[in-house]
Amino acid sequence: MKICIYGAGAIGGYLGVQLAQAGADVSLVARGAHLAAMRANGLTLLIGDEQRVIQPRCTDTPAELGAQDFIIICLKAHSITGVIEQMLPLLGAHTRIVTAVNGIPYWYFYRHGNAFEGTALESVDPGGRQWRELGAERAIGCIVYPATELEAPGVIRHVYGNNFPLGEPSGETTPDVENLAAMFVKAGLQAPVLDRIRDEIWLKLWGNVCFNPISALTHATLDVICTDPATRALAKAMMLEAQAIAETFGVNFRVDVERRIEGARKVGAHKTSMLQDLERGRPMEIDPLVTVVQEMGRLAGVPTPAIDSVLALVVQRARIAGLY
């Protein structure tokens, strides 16, 4: 099984090591100091007291790799459109694209089965380019639950978790998704195949849509946001708006809003990815986590006053920092 990890940072590198040690033919696309370190010393994964090292095929020129069976995209979602041309040589007649990204993926309304079937979401897929050029029909959904860190160039530390739910947009259990899930399991990962992958996408996004921008505006960690009465109330208001939107599109939430907030509180003094990006001067994932929910609210005719206000503030904050 030929698998290209496109964006072999913390999560992509973790997947790359696990899948390579399970026998997959893995290639990694990376850049900069991380790529140089992998070429020189291999890729090291630290799990507890254990150290796992592979000598991967890695490149910043994907055309060298040829057609793949699976491309696992581990980039920040807002970066995908900018690398479409580089990704095209990896596509063969039967290549599947696995979207291991935060937020709503470009293929969301492919095989969705309602009035919005075939709709491209401008906030995550400007001009519908990913839909057309990568192909919505190639997509397999993937939710990323583990936490990993790029400790140093070429060195990744696993923090917690190994769950990567997978699912076809249509809800079918196809040979492709079964084979991929089996390889994940062989690699020591959990990879349940879901018939309602969008429900799981929204369950994770439900927290990201509020906790990420609130943390970027306040510099507060999850435990503070979820215990301070004002920020907890604001997060809940945003989540209820998001829930109303998602339910309009047929999504079922398997937990209620209070339980979801409590789950975030129990994570403790954790900085969200958006706050980490702000502190490190990296572009922030505003559009795939927040703007897209607003866009879908407009499609559904659901008002989003809390989301609108927080989105306006975090966009301004990012622009001041030159990160949007």
Side-chain angles (χ1 to χ4, degrees):
M1 183 182 290
K2 295 184 70 175
I3 300 176
C4 175
I5 309 290
Y6 206 109
I11 286 293
Y14 168 57
L15 278 172
V17 172
Q18 297 295 90
L19 290 167
Q21 292 198 328
D25 180 359
V26 174
S27 302
L28 306 179
V29 176
R31 61 184 182 181
H34 185 49
L35 174 60
M38 288 193 292
R39 283 172 165 166
N41 305 309
L43 176 59
T44 299
L45 174 63
L46 306 175
I47 299 184
D49 296 328
E50 184 181 353
Q51 179 174 291
R52 303 176 184 178
V53 182
I54 64 169
Q55 302 292 329
R57 183 187 303 111
C58 50
T59 184
D60 56 1
T61 309
E64 299 174 350
L65 303 176
Q68 304 289 308
D69 296 315
F70 296 93
I71 302 169
I72 304 178
I73 300 178
C74 296
L75 299 169
K76 295 290 183 72
H78 56 258
S79 303
I80 298 173
T81 297
V83 298
I84 289 175
E85 290 84 357
Q86 289 81 7
M87 207 176 290
L88 293 179
L90 300 171
L91 299 178
H94 304 290
T95 304
R96 301 300 305 271
I97 295 176
V98 183
T99 51
V101 298
N102 280 330
I104 298 292
Y106 74 92
W107 53 262
Y108 189 86
F109 285 113
Y110 175 73
R111 302 290 298 274
H112 187 272
N114 75 353
F116 297 97
E117 175 69 38
T119 298
L121 293 161
E122 186 68 19
S123 50
V124 294
D125 185 15
R129 288 192 59 204
Q130 294 175 53
W131 186 295
R132 291 194 313 275
E133 297 177 47
L134 298 181
E137 71 282 356
R138 295 182 184 272
I140 293 175
C142 177
I143 294 91
V144 176
Y145 281 118
T148 56
E149 297 173 352
L150 188 63
E151 190 161 283
V155 181
I156 290 161
R157 180 172 295 280
H158 175 262
V159 180
Y160 65 80
N162 68 347
N163 191 20
F164 293 87
L166 302 169
E168 293 276 6
S170 65
E172 299 169 281
T173 300
T174 63
D176 284 345
V177 76
E178 285 187 315
N179 291 339
L180 182 63
M183 179 56 74
F184 272 47
V185 170
K186 187 178 178 183
L189 307 170
Q190 296 183 65
V193 176
L194 306 181
D195 59 1
R196 294 180 59 88
I197 190 69
R198 293 175 183 85
D199 290 359
E200 201 72 16
I201 288 170
W202 274 97
L203 187 63
K204 185 175 183 185
L205 177 60
W206 209 15
N208 285 338
V209 71
C210 58
F211 299 134
N212 272 272
I214 291 172
S215 70
L217 291 168
T218 63
H219 290 254
T221 52
L222 279 179
D223 55 337
V224 174
I225 293 170
C226 295
T227 54
D228 178 86
T231 50
R232 184 183 177 107
L234 178 57
K236 181 177 180 179
M238 296 175 72
M239 292 172 77
L240 290 174
E241 290 174 4
Q243 181 177 1
I245 294 164
E247 289 177 345
T248 299
F249 294 115
V251 170
N252 295 322
F253 288 82
R254 54 184 166 85
V255 299
D256 65 25
V257 67
E258 292 292 344
R259 182 176 170 189
R260 182 67 177 84
I261 293 172
E262 277 301 293
R265 182 189 63 78
K266 290 176 182 177
V267 172
H270 172 71
K271 293 182 179 181
T272 70
S273 60
M274 196 177 287
L275 176 55
Q276 292 181 47
D277 286 342
L278 176 63
E279 292 181 342
R280 295 171 185 172
R282 301 186 303 207
M284 296 155 66
E285 284 186 290
I286 295 172
D287 289 340
L289 299 184
V290 190
T291 311
V292 70
V293 178
Q294 181 192 65
E295 181 180 357
M296 293 179 77
R298 302 292 186 268
L299 289 175
V302 174
T304 54
I307 290 173
D308 295 348
S309 298
V310 171
L311 176 59
L313 292 172
V314 78
V315 165
Q316 186 63 22
R317 178 69 185 87
R319 284 176 175 157
I320 290 169
L323 303 178
Y324 184 79

